Amino acid sequence: MSASLSALYVYPVKSCAALAPASAQVEARGLAGDRRWLVVDAAGKFVTGRLYARMPLIRATPLPQGLRLEAPDMPPLEIAIPDADAPRRRVEVWRSAVDALPAAAAADAWFSRFLGAELSLVHMDEAAHRAVNPDFGRPGDEVSFADGYPQLLISAAALDALNARLAEPVDMRRFRPNLVVSGTAPHAEDGWKRVRIGEVEFDVVKPCTRCVFTTVDPLRGQRNADGEPLKTLTGYRRTPAGVTFGQNLIPRGRGTITLGDAVEVLE
């Protein structure tokens, strides 16, 4: 089979709605514009759709100098990228501490109103750094506000195999990938170590362990009461590290990737 890139997803704000561009620029931290914004609580700890199932209903669209926010029953809001010289706020993403830039107070009020809690929005600029787990990366590898690694790749056939086991099929967006590859066997990515997509090479470094966020329908902003699809995945994708679905990637170059690009397994 000939593998190719069949879908691209970018999430400007972590846990919010996916954008699906036809092409994307690969940067050291991941796709350009991917998860460079983060919602945090009053203590500065990150919050996601694991806690607030309505987060995927929020659509954040990049503007030349900022972001446009839209959500059901909310007035749209346009905010500017914070000035790099503004005072920073230390925020926590898993075990990482990042000195991020707070967004305007209007953004804090907007997220707080929609999600029903005291929340704030922060931005990661080039001066804010977050290292990849050194057990799986190289010195100097960095990541955005993504869970742990710059990119997540899933084969389309893996989703097909899952949906064949489910009473109600689910959409790939349940699993928050950046890259979807067609033309492979189910879970072929589990055996990859290095791939080239278009003009960019990537190290395939670690399986992605899955959590309760997969039970949130991104189109409804509600959690499935039956625990699917995580319940079914647990039956055939459980490993000592947890339930896995997809692979984390670290780019080893920069460049543009485009839908239809060949995916070549190098190792």
Side-chain angles (χ1 to χ4, degrees):
M1 288 185 281
S2 179
S4 63
L5 185 66
S6 57
L8 272 170
Y9 294 109
V10 174
Y11 311 87
V13 180
K14 184 177 178 68
S15 274
C16 294
L19 305 183
S23 63
Q25 185 71 22
V26 178
E27 300 177 347
R29 296 177 178 180
L31 299 183
D34 183 60
R35 298 175 175 97
R36 302 303 199 270
W37 300 81
L38 177 73
V39 181
V40 299
D41 63 16
K45 185 175 182 178
F46 79 115
V47 301
T48 72
R50 299 170 182 86
L51 181 62
Y52 297 104
R54 299 183 76 204
M55 287 188 76
L57 299 178
I58 299 170
R59 182 177 178 86
T61 306
L63 301 174
Q65 299 299 323
L67 205 61
R68 177 180 174 86
L69 300 171
E70 299 171 282
D73 302 318
M74 291 289 291
L77 177 67
E78 293 187 4
I79 59 170
I81 295 173
D83 189 277
D85 296 329
R88 293 179 180 267
R89 180 179 181 185
R90 174 75 47 104
V91 299
E92 178 185 342
V93 186
W94 296 114
R95 298 179 181 178
S96 302
V98 180
D99 290 323
L101 290 167
D108 298 351
W110 193 94
F111 276 94
S112 298
R113 175 182 167 187
F114 184 70
L115 296 174
E118 183 183 350
L119 301 168
S120 300
L121 182 68
V122 298
H123 177 65
M124 173 184 279
D125 65 351
E126 290 302 313
H129 300 285
R130 181 175 173 230
V132 166
N133 184 337
D135 291 341
F136 297 96
R138 302 176 186 172
D141 284 343
E142 292 195 355
V143 61
S144 65
F145 286 132
D147 271 356
Y149 300 90
Q151 270 115 8
L152 173 62
L153 178 150
I154 301 175
S155 61
L159 180 67
D160 293 341
L162 169 62
N163 280 334
R165 294 170 164 85
L166 295 174
E168 295 185 14
V170 296
D171 186 275
M172 182 63 88
R173 286 170 291 183
R174 291 272 186 143
F175 301 98
R176 316 289 291 178
N178 298 112
L179 314 172
V180 179
V181 177
S182 294
T184 74
H187 304 289
E189 62 272 27
D190 290 353
W192 300 347
K193 294 183 179 179
R194 191 162 57 95
V195 297
R196 180 186 293 116
I197 302 175
E199 59 188 37
V200 185
E201 292 187 12
F202 302 83
D203 285 343
V204 184
V205 296
K206 183 182 180 295
C208 181
T209 55
R210 312 314 306 214
C211 68
V212 69
F213 196 7
T214 60
T215 69
V216 173
D217 182 342
L219 301 181
R220 296 184 299 115
Q222 296 177 4
R223 187 170 289 114
N224 284 12
D226 61 5
E228 293 292 8
L230 188 59
K231 179 180 178 181
T232 293
L233 279 174
T234 301
Y236 74 103
R237 293 292 299 174
R238 181 185 288 278
T239 74
V243 176
T244 68
F245 194 81
Q247 290 284 332
N248 290 295
L249 274 58
I250 298 176
R252 294 304 175 206
R254 297 193 179 206
T256 300
I257 56 177
T258 302
L259 296 183
D261 278 350
V263 177
E264 181 182 1
V265 180
L266 303 175
E267 186 179 347

